[in-house]
């Protein structure tokens, strides 16, 4: 067996940092169980080496191959990887994560209620690994839908991975804030792009405002047509099927309102601390937007909605909740009013 030590990335959020080792271990187990790795890691543990926390694990010889390293480079907490030589030495192993743009696309936006960037990446990874797209997540330009996109953290992570992003958001201020940020960021980075907002109407009825940006990491890519598209629709997520075609997304990734700074709103029941009514109305709609083999990844506050209730909603919409090593170890504390958990479910054929 060859032994490895993964240096965990620092987190600006101290509470999340305290859970980072345990979450990294769970995420590694999800990678190992997904079938995408030629050499599955075993004996994962959090270990302190030289006063610093590492995620350690072992791999059967000949060790991690190039494809394995390409996958593991995208672990949400990965900072640097080392092969352990004897009991005292660490040999650096190069990592090349999916990163088409500078990291400030993710880190610049700061606002109350923003989902931690590392957690957003973890949720996206877990959802991709559960989907039929797991084997091609490094190679294909997938489509990620966030039907409660807020100010676009998930959409920006999708762009970083080289994917297309689609967001749906009811709060017009959040939509405007995201549009303003992305336009400014694109201009500051001097990236060739187009960006426009247009109304979406049917039978003279306004269904949504639609923001769409087409961009590429270089002028050469843009000229050759190797572009990415990010779309945000200002409308109610329960009516998303009116403005999006069925089967438009490879994966759906979303962070439900926690019922603290933001509540969940539905047309018939208004504002509520629990997202359960919103999920009951929206998940059947979201299910229609998934392609065959697609997966839905959901995070929410278990203090306002227990896990069995959330599982029941997903199962009722024809989705199968994924279980196994790592999947039930993603729950963690955010603050005194929020305990966050994760459910990932795949579409039944």
């Amino acid at each position: 067996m060859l032994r490895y030590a993964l240096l965990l990335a620092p987190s600006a959020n101290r509470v999340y940092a305290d859970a980072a080792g345990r979450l990294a271990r769970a995420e590694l187990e999800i990678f190992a169980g997904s079938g995408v790795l030629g050499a599955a890691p075993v004996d994962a543990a959090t270990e302190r080496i030289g006063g610093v926390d590492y995620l350690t694990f072992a791999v059967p010889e000949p060790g991690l191959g190039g494809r394995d390293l390409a996958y593991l480079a995208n672990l949400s907490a990965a900072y640097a990887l080392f092969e352990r030589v004897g009991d005292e030495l660490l040999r650096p192993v190069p990592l090349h994560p999916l990163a088409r743009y500078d990291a400030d696309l993710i880190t610049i936006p700061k606002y109350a209620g923003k989902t931690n960037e590392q957690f957003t990446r973890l949720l996206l990874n877990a959802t991709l690994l559960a989907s039929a797209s797991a084997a091609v997540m490094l190679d294909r330009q997938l489509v990620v839908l966030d039907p409660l996109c807020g100010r676009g953290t998930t959409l920006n992570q999708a762009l970083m991975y080289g994917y297309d992003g689609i967001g749906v958001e009811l709060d017009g201020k959040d939509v405007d804030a995201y549009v303003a940020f992305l336009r400014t960021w694109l201009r500051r980075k001097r990236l060739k792009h187009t960006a426009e907002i247009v109304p979406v109407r049917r039978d003279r009825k306004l269904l949504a405002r639609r923001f769409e940006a087409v961009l590429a990491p270089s002028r050469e890519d843009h000229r050759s047509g190797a572009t990415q598209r990010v779309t945000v629709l200002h409308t109610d997520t329960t009516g998303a099927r009116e403005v999006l075609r069925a089967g438009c997304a490879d994966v759906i990734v979303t962070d439900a309102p926690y019922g603290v700074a933001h509540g969940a709103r539905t047309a018939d029941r208004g504002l509520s601390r629990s997202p359960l009514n919103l999920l009951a109305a929206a998940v059947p709609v979201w299910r229609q937007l998934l392609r065959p083999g697609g997966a839905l990844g959901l995070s929410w506050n278990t203090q306002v909605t227990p896990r069995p209730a959330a599982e029941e909603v997903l199962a009722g919409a024809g989705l199968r909740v994924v279980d196994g090593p790592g999947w039930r170890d993603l729950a963690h504390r955010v603050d005194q009013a929020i305990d966050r958990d994760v459910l990932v479910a795949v579409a039944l054929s």
Side-chain angles (χ1 to χ4, degrees), residues 132-337:
S133 301
V136 295
M137 64 176 277
L138 302 179
D139 314 302
R140 275 185 46 202
Q141 187 167 327
L142 304 175
V143 178
V144 177
L145 167 65
D146 185 345
L148 301 168
C149 71
R151 298 193 185 186
T153 304
T154 301
L155 303 181
N156 290 342
Q157 183 59 62
L159 290 176
M160 285 290 288
Y161 272 12
Y163 302 158
D164 291 344
I166 302 173
V168 179
E169 177 54 48
L170 182 60
D171 189 329
K173 291 182 180 179
D174 281 350
V175 173
D176 292 340
Y178 179 68
V179 170
F181 161 73
L182 190 61
R183 280 177 161 166
T184 300
W185 185 85
L186 288 167
R187 287 195 297 268
R188 188 169 58 83
K189 293 295 181 177
R190 298 183 179 180
L191 297 177
K192 188 171 177 59
H193 67 279
T194 60
E196 61 177 356
I197 297 180
V198 297
V200 179
R201 292 189 172 91
R202 183 179 300 159
D203 299 328
R204 298 183 180 180
K205 178 185 176 182
L206 180 65
L207 299 179
R209 284 191 303 149
R210 179 188 182 99
F211 168 73
E212 186 167 271
V214 178
L215 61 150
S218 69
R219 290 184 176 273
E220 293 74 19
D221 285 333
H222 201 282
R223 279 196 296 267
S224 68
T227 58
Q228 293 170 256
R229 189 179 306 270
V230 59
T231 305
V232 179
L233 292 150
H234 176 203
T235 190
D236 190 332
T237 192
T238 60
R241 186 63 185 83
E242 295 185 69
V243 291
L244 291 170
R245 61 180 175 81
C248 64
D250 294 289
V251 293
I252 294 175
V253 176
T254 199
D255 195 19
Y258 295 156
V260 180
H262 304 287
R265 185 181 297 276
T266 57
D268 57 342
R269 302 201 181 192
L271 191 65
S272 170
R273 276 200 75 204
S274 171
L276 199 58
N277 292 332
L278 172 62
L279 294 176
V283 171
V285 178
W286 300 346
R287 169 66 180 85
Q288 298 176 49
L289 301 175
L290 276 176
R291 290 175 182 163
L296 185 155
L298 169 71
S299 62
W300 82 104
N301 181 9
T302 58
Q303 289 195 27
V304 295
T305 301
R307 183 182 179 97
E311 289 182 340
E312 185 177 348
V313 170
L314 298 186
L319 298 164
R320 177 180 57 83
V321 175
V322 182
D323 209 343
W327 292 102
R328 287 189 174 267
D329 300 320
L330 297 174
H332 59 283
R333 181 175 176 268
V334 176
D335 61 32
Q336 63 180 2

Side-chain angles (χ1 to χ4, degrees), residues 108-130:
I108 283 179
K110 304 290 184 186
Y111 51 89
K114 180 184 178 182
T115 304
N116 180 282
E117 297 101 342
Q118 285 185 22
F119 175 74
T120 297
R121 191 171 174 184
L122 184 157
L123 181 57
L124 176 57
N125 284 344
T127 310
L128 287 166
L129 291 168

